[in-house]
Amino acid sequence: MRPEILFPLFAPIGTLKGVGAKVAPLVERLAGPIVRDLLFVPPHNLIVRERTTVAQARDGEVQTFEVTIDQHQKPRKIGVPYKVRAFDGTGFLHLTWFRTYGDTVERALPVGTQRVVSGKVERFGAEVQLAHPDYMLPPERADEIPPVEPVYPATAGLSSRQFRRLVQMALEKAPELLEWQDGAWLDRNNWPSWREALATLHAPESELDLSLDAPARKRLAYDELLAHQLAMIRRKLERGHVPAPVLHAGERSAAVKAALPFRLTGAQQRAMTEIRADLGSGHRMSRLLQGDVGSGKTVVAVLAMADAASSGFQAALMAPTEILARQHFERIEPLLASAGLTGLLLTGRDKGAGRKAKLAALADGSAQVAVGTHALFQDEVVFKALALAVVDEQHRFGVNERRRLQEKGAGVHLLSMSATPIPRTLELTQYGDLDVSRLDEKPPGRKPITTAAVPTARIGEIAARLDTAVKAGAQAYWICPLVAESEVADLAAAEARAAALREMLAAPVGLVHGQMPGPEKDAVMTAFAAGELSILVATTVVEVGVDVPNATIMVIEHAERFGLAQLHQLRGRVGRGSGESSCILLYDAPLSETAKARLDVLRQSEDGFQIAEEDWRLRGGGDLLGLKQSGFPDYRMADPIAHRDLLLAAADDARLVLGRDPELKSERGRRLRVLSELFDWRADRSNAPA
Ligand code: ADP
Ligand code: MG
C-alpha cells in the first residue's frame, strides 16, 4: 500500500498547473506519467548567463544585455524574420524572430523603452543578433533572469524552460520524508537528506553539480539502487517459497567425493556449502554457478547430483551439444559407478530399443542420473523422481527449455552453470532472480598461458613457429572470426586459411564452421580430440567446454573484433594439459587506444572475473543501449559504471536489512518501505529486470 504522504508525487502530471491535454503527453514522453517522474529527470546541462555589453558580445555564448529599443523592422515577405533593433551605447543589438507576427513583440518592446534581454549570441560580421531571446524584461524585473539555469530535455511543444518550471512545481509538492538511510552512512558520505538532495539536483550552480559524483546525485542514485536491490531480494524471498524435495548429502555423496583424484578447491567447497543449504531448505533452489572454463564446475554438479541420489531422487544434467554431453558423461559415469549409482546418456542419437531401455530406466528409477542434450526434456522422457536439474552453458538454452526439464518433477531444484563470468554489477542487477555462486579460484597445477598480441603482417612467422610445434606433436586451434558481411564469404576465408595452413605445415588440418551439420561437426571435433588432426580451423567459437588436453596453441585472427569475454573463453580451450600453452592474438594494425587496452587486459590476466570487470570499465558508458537491450534496468539516477561502488554497497545493505527484518517492520524497515514505494520497483513494472 502506498503511504499517503507520497500521494502528491504519484498524482498524474495533468494535475500540475499549465499541463493540459496538449502538454501532458509531451511531459509523459520526456519524464513519465506522474509528478514524481519530473523530479527523477536530472538536468543534463546548465546555462550560465553573463551580463555584458554589445561590443563585448561573444558568438555562441548565452549573454544578457541592457538595451534601449530603437526600431521595429517588420518583414515584408514570408521567410524573412521579424527584427527589432536595439542599442546600449556600445553598439546595435538585433533581436529576431521567425514565424512571429509583430503584435506580441511590438507590445513587449515599445520603441524607446529600456529592456534587459538575454539569449544566445550570434555574430554575423559586425552584426550582433539574439534569435528568439529567452528573456525580455523591464530593468526593474531583471532579477527574474536566473544567472544559472539548468537545462532539461526538450521536445517540439515543450521547451527546456517550461520543463524546468514543471520540475520546480513538482519540487514544491515533494514532502519531507523520514530518513531511510543509515545515519552513519549518510554522515560518512556527506550526503544531504532526500528532499534537500532533490532541491540541489535541480539547482546546479556549476558543471560540478551536474556530475555523477556530486553528493546530491550520489545520494539519489544510492536511494534508487537500494530500492531496486530491496525489491529484487524481496522477490527472491517470495519466489523461494516453492516447496521442493529436501536433499541431503549422504553415502553416495561421500563415495563420489572419495573417488575424486583431487581435493576440492576453496571456491568449490564454498559453492557446495551454498548449494547444500538450498537443497536442504525444503524450498526450490534457483542458483547460477559462475566460473571460468576449467574452474571445475562439473565436479560441483556431480556432488549435487549425488546428494539427490543419496536422498532417493534423480538428477539430470543437460548440455547444449551432443559432444559436450558425451564428454560430461564419460567423466561423470565412473564417479557415479564408484558410488554404486547408475547414470545414462540420452541424446538425439538414441533410437529404437536402446532408447526405449534408457527411458524405462529413468521411468522406473533404476538410473539415478541422466546426462544428455535437448533430448532430455522431450515429452516421452519421464522420470520416477526428478529433484535436480543441472543446465550447463545455461545461456545456450531458452528459459522454456530449462523450464520443460524442471517440469519433469515436482519442485525440481535448478542449478545453472555458466562459463561466462559477468561483472558483479551486472550480476546484481540482472540475475536478481537467481542466487549466484562463483568459482573464482582455479584448481591447482594449472600452467599459465603465454599470451601475445601480434600484427597480422607477421602471420608467416606465426605459421613457421606453428610448424615447429606441430612437428613436435602439439595441436593447435586456429580461429577465423565472422568478418565479412556474408557467411559465404566468411566460410570462403576460413577454407582458404585451412588450405594455406595445409600447404605450409604439411600436417593434417581440419575445419569446422557454423553451417556444418551437427554430426559432421562432431566428427571433425572428435578427430581433433583423438589427435588425428594437428590443427583445427574454426569459423565459429569452438564448442565451449570441449576438452582436448593435448591442444596447447590457440591462434585467433582479427582478435580485435572479438569481445574480451569471448577471447578469454577461446583461450580457455588451451592450457588444459601438462604442456606449456600459448595464445596468439592476431590483429589488424593500427589498433585504437581502446582496442589496445583491451588486448592488454587479456595479456595481463587469466582471471575471467577480472577480465569481465575490465571489459565493463573499458566499455565505459558507451554501451548503455546494449545494456538496456540485455535487460539492464532503466535507472534514472544511477549509472551502473560510475556508481558501481554504490551498487555493491546497496546490495550489501539490502541483504543485511532483509536478513534482520524480512518484513521491513522495524523503524528503518518502515522508512525503507516508503523508499520502495517511491521508486516502485515492482515485479510488474516493465523495466524491472525479470
Ligand atoms: P568447467 O566445467 O568449469 O570448465 P571442469 O569441471 O571441466 O571445468 O574441470 C576442468 C578440469 O579440472 C577437469 O579435468 C577436472 O577434473 C579438473 N578439476 C576440477 N576440480 C579440481 C580440483 N579441485 N583439483 C584439481 N583438478 C580439478
Ligand atoms: Mg564444463
Side-chain angles (χ1 to χ4, degrees), residues 261-265 268 291-300 328 331 392-393 417 419 439 442-444 446 545 547 573 576:
F262 46 72
R263 295 176 46 171
L264 295 184
T265 64
Q268 283 170 324
D292 260 347
V293 173
S295 59
K297 294 184 291 292
T298 316
V299 176
V300 173
H328 272 310
R331 285 213 243 139
D392 195 19
E393 306 302 338
M417 304 201 290
L439 295 183
K442 296 248 166 88
R446 218 39 67 84
D547 208 0
R573 307 288 101 225
R576 309 192 135 211

Side-chain angles (χ1 to χ4, degrees), residues 30-286:
L30 294 179
I34 57 174
V35 171
R36 173 202 68 178
D37 298 331
L38 283 160
L39 297 176
F40 286 174
V41 178
H44 55 78
N45 208 341
L46 80 178
I47 297 171
V48 181
R49 287 179 199 277
E50 192 194 7
R51 188 82 180 236
T52 187
T53 60
V54 176
Q56 292 185 331
R58 278 197 312 277
D59 191 33
E61 300 281 309
V62 179
Q63 298 182 311
T64 304
F65 307 86
E66 183 162 352
V67 292
T68 307
I69 304 303
D70 180 38
Q71 191 182 90
H72 283 243
Q73 300 167 357
K74 295 172 194 170
R76 301 232 178 78
K77 287 190 297 198
I78 291 175
V80 175
Y82 190 106
K83 250 184 178 186
V84 174
R85 195 173 75 173
F87 63 94
D88 74 349
T90 71
F92 284 114
L93 180 68
H94 293 89
L95 313 173
T96 63
W97 289 265
F98 288 89
R99 291 186 307 274
T100 294
Y101 296 101
D103 293 2
T104 38
V105 176
E106 224 168 345
R107 250 181 283 122
L109 304 173
V111 171
T113 53
Q114 292 284 111
R115 284 291 180 267
V116 178
V117 295
S118 187
K120 188 164 172 188
V121 173
E122 293 170 40
R123 291 196 84 120
F124 301 99
E127 185 163 323
V128 181
Q129 243 189 43
L130 296 187
H132 299 252
D134 303 331
Y135 295 94
M136 307 182 294
L137 295 167
E140 63 274 15
R141 284 176 56 199
D143 58 359
E144 287 175 28
I145 304 177
V148 182
E149 198 175 316
V151 180
Y152 292 94
T155 184
L158 183 67
S159 70
S160 160
R161 258 170 72 205
Q162 282 169 289
F163 193 91
R164 173 171 168 254
R165 243 197 30 245
L166 297 177
V167 170
Q168 292 302 321
M169 283 193 249
L171 259 179
E172 277 162 36
K173 303 207 174 228
E176 286 289 352
L177 298 172
L178 290 173
E179 184 58 70
W180 47 71
Q181 298 295 3
D182 177 66
W185 171 244
L186 280 184
D187 288 347
R188 180 135 51 93
N189 286 294
N190 246 324
W191 285 347
S193 73
W194 175 75
R195 179 76 183 62
E196 211 182 312
L198 274 179
T200 308
L201 179 80
H202 291 291
E205 288 174 4
S206 71
E207 294 282 338
L208 229 56
D209 293 336
L210 296 176
S211 108
L212 293 168
D213 268 342
R217 177 66 182 264
K218 279 174 89 169
R219 141 112 222 189
L220 295 167
Y222 190 76
D223 284 344
E224 181 171 42
L225 293 166
L226 183 60
H228 185 210
Q229 290 298 315
L230 285 171
M232 280 201 300
I233 297 175
R234 289 175 80 184
R235 190 139 34 98
K236 196 187 293 180
L237 291 175
E238 278 162 31
R239 186 220 54 221
H241 283 111
V242 177
V246 175
L247 307 181
H248 284 305
E251 269 172 47
R252 312 289 199 178
S253 326
V256 167
K257 196 168 172 203
L260 293 175
F262 46 72
R263 295 176 46 171
L264 295 184
T265 64
Q268 283 170 324
Q269 278 169 18
R270 282 192 294 280
M272 273 321 296
T273 307
E274 289 162 358
I275 290 167
R276 286 193 162 140
D278 291 353
L279 294 179
S281 72
H283 298 302
R284 191 169 66 188
M285 170 173 82
S286 296

